[in-house]
Amino acid sequence: MRLALPRWAGTLAVKAAAFITVMCCALAALLGVLVHVSVTNQTVGQARDLALDRLTEATAAFEAGDSPARGVGVDPPDLPEPLRELAAAGERGTMVGEHRGRPTMWAAGPVDGGRALAVEVDYSQGERTIDGLDRAIVWSSGLAIGATLLVGAFAVTRVTRRLHTTAQVARRITAGDLDARVDDPRTKNPTRPEDEVAAVAAALDSMAASLQGKLLAEQRFTADVAHELRTPLTGLHAAAELLPASRPTELVRDRVAALRTLTEDLLEISRLDTGRERLELDREPLAALAERVVRASGTDTEVVVVRDAAVETDRRRLERVLGNLVANAHRHGRGPVVLTVDGPVVTVRDHGDGYPDYLVEHGPQRFRTEGGSKGHGLGLTIASGQAEVLGARLEFLNAPDGGAYASLTLPQGRPAGAGLPDGAV
């Protein structure tokens, strides 16, 4: 069973916790070894000095012919063999061993006849002192590691939470919410120190504000240009209607009509960009609506109804989306063009060269062309924007056997109390 981490936790928090744990363990082990070695040397040194002093006294008493004191003997059976050999070689030495099951500090020196005079000093207290110290080191190290890990995790968690908040705001901005801001309190109070996370948050807020200003200026420019063009285009259209019938007149009227359509498209895009479009919801059968769209387009488009469905939607906007998809299929693809209704899913399929790669990956982009080919104009951009207002999902794909494939998935009714898409009423 895999342990589920909180949403704010990530690689940084895990790595920081692992690093803090490893460093605490290493530091505790180093300090524990140093303290253990120091106390052990001190305890053993004290016991060795005591044993050597007693050995000196026992040697003097042995040479004076006095009876040996308690704990003193010649060639005792428990004397460690290395110490016995050292004494037989004429040297004095000490060694920790056992005597009657207890830790003992032995001191031995040479006496007449190549024998070893040995003194035993009880080392139980020193052994208990070292064992108690080791246990204290282990427990104190564990507590220190736990406390340090908790404090470090708390500090890292605060940083990761702030980073997570910054990432959420960045995703909201990517999704189109240009009003989203991090608003880190450290960036508002100049008296508070600003760390790296606050600097990133301030940079993100500044970038969002700049981006929002540029986009709003672009939207205003598009709307103003389209609005200002409507008046002269209306007069130009009226003047073109007064021209005598001829081939040049037809060309002028055709270009004026195309320019009027482009202007209306620009106005519609500017309205979609503001996100304040209003829905007029009604119950619509998709099959009948699709047939109306095809008849209005005046194109040779086949309508296939696999499964009809009635959806709650804005009829005018849905007709606009499907009309743009059908027109694009005929203008940029090749026949046969098939519009299929399968429940709440409506697809438009042609058999041309398919959509450009950039359009499949990133969606329609205004007036963009690829490799010198003719662009897709504003029709797909408007279709995508209107689909978003409808709360539908519009996907642009290329069929495996060739041709472009646009799929529109409509919402099937809304539960009571459910909200409408952004900007809808």
Side-chain angles (χ1 to χ4, degrees), residues 91-128:
E91 300 290 338
R92 294 178 12 139
T94 60
M95 185 175 179
V96 178
E98 286 191 0
H99 179 62
R100 296 176 182 175
R102 294 182 304 172
T104 303
M105 173 65 73
W106 291 94
V111 292
D112 295 339
R115 294 179 297 172
L117 178 64
V119 175
E120 60 181 73
V121 175
D122 187 9
Y123 191 64
S124 300
Q125 183 62 37
E127 191 78 16
R128 286 193 296 269

Side-chain angles (χ1 to χ4, degrees), residues 303-345:
V303 178
V304 177
V305 179
V306 178
R307 178 168 55 94
D308 195 7
V311 295
E312 187 179 0
T313 186
D314 189 320
R315 178 182 58 81
R316 181 184 65 83
R317 296 183 188 280
L318 182 55
E319 289 178 348
R320 177 71 158 149
V321 174
L322 296 181
N324 282 13
L325 294 179
V326 170
N328 183 82
H330 283 279
R331 185 177 300 116
H332 300 285
R334 288 192 299 271
V337 176
V338 181
L339 188 153
T340 305
V341 177
D342 187 2
V345 180

Side-chain angles (χ1 to χ4, degrees), residues 45-314:
Q46 292 175 352
R48 180 182 292 113
D49 292 341
L50 178 60
L52 289 176
D53 291 342
R54 290 187 179 182
L55 178 61
T56 300
E57 296 174 358
T59 301
F62 181 82
E63 291 176 350
D66 297 337
S67 58
R70 184 178 179 182
V72 179
V74 177
D75 289 334
D78 291 341
L79 182 66
E81 195 61 31
L83 196 57
R84 190 188 303 275
E85 294 175 356
L86 182 65
E91 300 290 338
R92 294 178 12 139
T94 60
M95 185 175 179
V96 178
E98 286 191 0
H99 179 62
R100 296 176 182 175
R102 294 182 304 172
T104 303
M105 173 65 73
W106 291 94
V111 292
D112 295 339
R115 294 179 297 172
L117 178 64
V119 175
E120 60 181 73
V121 175
D122 187 9
Y123 191 64
S124 300
Q125 183 62 37
E127 191 78 16
R128 286 193 296 269
T129 300
I130 295 176
D131 290 342
L133 176 66
D134 291 342
R135 287 193 297 269
I137 290 175
V138 171
W139 280 104
S140 61
S141 298
L143 292 175
I145 291 172
T148 305
L149 185 59
L150 289 177
V151 174
F154 174 75
V156 172
T157 297
R158 295 187 63 185
V159 175
T160 54
R161 280 204 189 101
R162 293 168 61 198
L163 289 174
H164 180 69
T165 301
T166 304
Q168 281 185 324
V169 172
R171 284 191 288 267
R172 288 172 56 191
I173 294 173
T174 302
D177 183 8
L178 297 182
D179 292 324
R181 298 291 185 272
V182 180
D183 288 332
D184 195 307
R186 290 169 178 79
T187 61
K188 297 181 178 181
N189 189 353
T191 61
R192 298 184 64 179
E194 184 175 303
D195 55 9
E196 289 77 4
V197 180
V200 172
L204 180 63
D205 289 347
S206 176
M207 180 196 70
S210 176
L211 180 62
Q212 185 179 34
K214 291 179 180 179
L215 288 179
L216 290 177
E218 178 186 348
Q219 292 172 7
R220 284 194 299 268
F221 175 77
T222 302
D224 291 344
V225 168
H227 181 75
E228 293 299 327
L229 284 175
R230 296 181 76 178
T231 301
L233 281 175
T234 302
L236 187 59
H237 176 74
E241 293 296 328
L242 298 177
L243 293 176
S246 64
R247 179 58 180 166
T249 299
E250 293 178 2
L251 293 176
V252 170
R253 291 175 179 173
D254 179 67
R255 292 300 88 193
V256 170
L259 192 55
R260 290 186 67 184
T261 301
L262 178 60
T263 303
E264 294 299 329
D265 287 347
L266 287 174
L267 282 173
E268 185 170 358
I269 286 178
S270 67
R271 290 193 298 268
L272 290 172
D273 286 341
T274 61
R276 301 181 185 275
E277 289 291 271
R278 295 173 177 267
L279 287 177
E280 297 178 2
L281 297 177
D282 198 2
R283 198 94 177 149
E284 295 289 339
L286 283 181
L289 188 144
E291 291 174 354
R292 286 199 307 270
V293 169
V294 171
R295 284 196 302 270
S297 68
T299 59
D300 184 17
T301 302
E302 180 184 359
V303 178
V304 177
V305 179
V306 178
R307 178 168 55 94
D308 195 7
V311 295
E312 187 179 0
T313 186
D314 189 320

